[in-house]
Amino acid sequence: MSVFLLGGGRDVAVCGSLLEAFVGEARERATADPVIALLLVLEADDDASVERFRGVLEAAGAASAEIRVHAIVEGEGFTDAAIGGADGVFVGGGLTPAYREAFSGIRDAVRERVADGMPYAGFSAGAAIAAGPALVGGFRVGGVEVVSEDAGEELDAVEVRPGLGLLDFAVDVHAAQWGTLSRLIAAVDAGLVTDGVAIDEDTALVISAQAAPAVRGSGQVWRVESAASGVHVQVLRA
């Protein structure tokens, strides 16, 4: 099983190239026609995200007939039908707290399916909620601004909530582009999480049971962990 964590990005072709291995794993797992479940939590007036993320999967090599879309509106929740029979799950981007809440009813089911070998891919919010300790947003720690309010995901204080539990470290996204590395550093420094990664756009971190973690794409992954001297940051590149 592999977990693909994408830090975001607007270029459909570039993001698709980072998911070619994900599509390949889903096909290898299939016993009949492959099914890749695309799960999206949309704002009420969002009429573009379905085609955008479908386009990412098609750019990764998935055939249109292999993609099964489950799109709900913020405030709603996914049911078991969203992942039933899927050979791979791709979770898109949007408001991270809304995605986290939408998975509350199927969190255990997703974790069990991934543990059984189903590949998971998360884009932005979909990557953040893959963690056990999900850093869902916020821009202040202890009343001090640690990132731009624009990156706060409609939250004030930085919040960590139980995520899907596919990883034991936190994930932040749009690192270089939104400056969220500073939020992750502050969260580790404050003891909200013990460690985590901040992933640039157009970049993926791939976690596999069969191989060492790998960075793919044009950006960097910033590994942050607590250390005796404070907080240690390591830069990981493709």
Side-chain angles (χ1 to χ4, degrees), residues 90-215:
F90 177 38
V91 181
L95 191 63
T96 304
Y99 268 87
R100 186 270 176 192
E101 293 306 314
F103 276 85
S104 295
I106 63 168
R107 184 172 57 198
D108 291 345
V110 172
R111 186 166 57 247
E112 290 169 3
R113 292 290 301 279
V114 173
D116 189 46
M118 180 185 72
Y120 174 98
F123 178 101
S124 187
I129 67 166
L135 204 168
V136 296
F139 68 101
R140 302 182 200 265
V141 172
V144 177
E145 290 191 19
V146 297
V147 71
S148 168
E149 184 176 357
D150 293 339
E153 303 272 9
E154 300 182 1
L155 298 175
D156 186 290
V158 172
E159 291 191 27
V160 176
R161 302 175 185 172
L164 296 177
L166 308 183
L167 319 160
D168 58 6
F169 53 86
V171 178
D172 215 329
V173 290
H174 307 283
Q177 292 73 26
W178 292 8
T180 54
L181 173 60
S182 60
R183 176 168 60 193
L184 179 58
I185 291 172
V188 172
D189 182 62
L192 299 177
V193 295
T194 58
D195 59 340
V197 295
I199 307 172
D200 288 349
E201 292 183 0
D202 298 332
T203 307
L205 176 64
V206 182
I207 308 296
S208 174
Q210 293 79 34
V215 178

Side-chain angles (χ1 to χ4, degrees), residues 38-146:
L38 170 58
L39 276 58
L40 299 172
V41 181
L42 308 176
E43 295 182 20
D45 59 350
D46 185 347
D47 58 0
S49 288
V50 171
E51 288 310 308
R52 175 189 172 201
F53 286 107
R54 178 187 284 277
V56 170
L57 284 174
E58 290 177 347
S64 180
E66 296 173 341
I67 303 168
R68 187 180 69 196
V69 179
H70 292 268
I72 61 175
V73 177
E74 290 178 7
E76 298 177 345
F78 291 113
T79 65
D80 289 341
I83 61 170
D87 301 299
V89 170
F90 177 38
V91 181
L95 191 63
T96 304
Y99 268 87
R100 186 270 176 192
E101 293 306 314
F103 276 85
S104 295
I106 63 168
R107 184 172 57 198
D108 291 345
V110 172
R111 186 166 57 247
E112 290 169 3
R113 292 290 301 279
V114 173
D116 189 46
M118 180 185 72
Y120 174 98
F123 178 101
S124 187
I129 67 166
L135 204 168
V136 296
F139 68 101
R140 302 182 200 265
V141 172
V144 177
E145 290 191 19
V146 297

Side-chain angles (χ1 to χ4, degrees), residues 25 48 62 104 109 115 117 152 175 236:
E25 287 192 21
S104 295
L236 309 175

